[in-house]
Amino acid sequence: MFYSWLPMLLIVAASLVVGRAITRACGREKWWGIEPAVGFAALMAVEGLLARVPGTRAALIAGLVALAAFSIWVLRRPGRGDLPDSPLFWAVGLIAALLLSVPFLITGHWGLLGMGYNNDLGLHLAWAEWLRSGFGTEPSDGYPLGPHGLTAALAIPDFGLGRVFIGQVAAIAVLSVMTAWAAVESLGRWRRLLAALLVGLPYLMTSFYAQAAFKELAAAMFLLAFVIALPKVTPPPAGRRLRTIAPLLILLLGIIFTYSFPGLAWHQNQELRPVLLTPV
């Protein structure tokens, strides 16, 4: 089971490191809380862009290497503020990973999720194979290929496309819980842990996860991070405005390369809904 979750752990770790490097480069001296979502959004944006260039797999791997080099350079002198202030942050991620392992623990073996209910994953695996090897079904024009590009870049013979794609779906769920941790910071330690799990893995999210739906999971995580960050963005000094809002722009790019441009409309609708429903 642990071996099957190595792709998930790798994607979670990469998202946390890249996300923290981005927020630090944008002037955030301490852990902000949206780093899990921002890091994954950056992975989606880079891999989604490179999925459409010639020599696809080499370009996808080069994109990951470039992101890693950028993160290492930014975090070359790590400080105490670069990590979450509570060890329960890591505990809530571990608990989420254990909960996501339930389908495999019940069946007693690893496998593709949701194949008996929704075979949509088969097409996405075929597209990822085309990005990796050039054989198989070519992706549709205009379809967002961030998740497929990341899968193709990380797929090696020992892992395979299926393990990496399912690991990515699980990673999104774990990162959603880690992002939710920042949304409930006003609660006590143990209530905060429980609330983060309930926010990151409600019934609808686990239902999508059970059928290996990844676009909906990612879009919900990006929206949650945007809602967390927006009230904390203060008017920046002249000349630093783009730098200040860059993490929010990366979240929007993550939605585009995961859910395409209609995802922006859905995102904006969810942003406005609480305002529209508030009694005057």
Side-chain angles (χ1 to χ4, degrees):
M1 181 63 69
F2 175 77
Y3 177 77
S4 298
W5 277 148
L6 281 179
M8 177 196 70
L9 295 175
L10 179 61
I11 294 172
V12 168
S15 298
L16 294 176
V17 173
V18 172
R20 178 54 194 146
I22 290 173
T23 56
R24 185 171 172 183
C26 292
R28 291 282 172 173
E29 296 298 327
K30 295 184 178 180
W31 182 267
W32 191 353
I34 63 170
E35 282 82 355
V38 171
F40 188 76
L43 291 173
M44 292 297 97
V46 170
E47 298 301 272
L49 279 171
L50 296 177
R52 298 291 182 180
V53 304
T56 299
R57 188 161 191 245
L60 294 172
I61 295 174
L64 291 182
V65 172
L67 270 180
F70 162 78
S71 301
I72 292 172
W73 181 79
V74 173
L75 300 175
R76 63 192 182 280
R77 296 178 181 175
R80 296 183 61 182
D82 289 323
L83 295 175
D85 57 1
S86 173
L88 291 181
F89 171 85
W90 307 104
V92 77
L94 176 60
I95 294 172
L98 293 175
L99 292 174
L100 296 169
S101 302
V102 167
F104 309 113
L105 294 174
I106 291 176
T107 59
H109 63 85
W110 184 90
L112 298 176
L113 290 167
M115 299 304 289
Y117 175 76
N118 180 6
N119 196 27
D120 187 53
L121 183 61
L123 178 62
H124 296 299
L125 288 174
W127 287 355
E129 177 60 41
W130 187 88
L131 293 177
R132 181 177 69 165
S133 64
F135 296 100
T137 304
E138 185 175 354
S140 301
D141 291 339
Y143 199 93
L145 295 177
H148 310 76
L150 182 60
T151 298
L154 295 179
I156 58 176
D158 288 342
F159 285 162
L161 288 173
R163 290 186 186 276
V164 177
F165 220 120
I166 294 300
Q168 181 175 188
V169 177
I172 297 171
V174 172
L175 292 168
S176 296
V177 171
M178 289 178 160
T179 302
W181 177 259
V184 291
E185 61 182 348
S186 60
L187 300 178
R189 296 178 63 194
W190 299 108
R191 288 195 299 166
R192 186 181 184 185
L193 186 148
L194 177 60
L197 288 170
L198 294 176
V199 172
L201 292 177
Y203 174 77
L204 187 59
M205 291 285 277
T206 53
S207 299
F208 279 124
Y209 166 75
Q211 56 182 298
F214 55 92
K215 299 186 296 293
E216 294 81 2
L217 293 179
M221 176 179 66
F222 296 146
L223 172 62
L224 176 62
F226 204 94
V227 171
I228 293 170
L230 197 57
K232 298 181 179 180
V233 175
T234 57
R240 296 184 56 186
R241 294 177 182 176
L242 182 60
R243 180 183 175 191
T244 300
I245 65 171
L248 301 183
L249 298 178
I250 291 173
L251 290 173
L252 297 180
L253 286 175
I255 291 178
I256 292 173
F257 287 100
T258 305
Y259 210 96
S260 192
F261 289 98
L264 294 178
W266 176 85
H267 178 277
Q268 186 64 25
N269 180 58
Q270 301 306 312
E271 282 282 327
L272 292 175
R273 182 172 296 180
V275 177
L276 296 176
L277 295 180
T278 302
V280 179

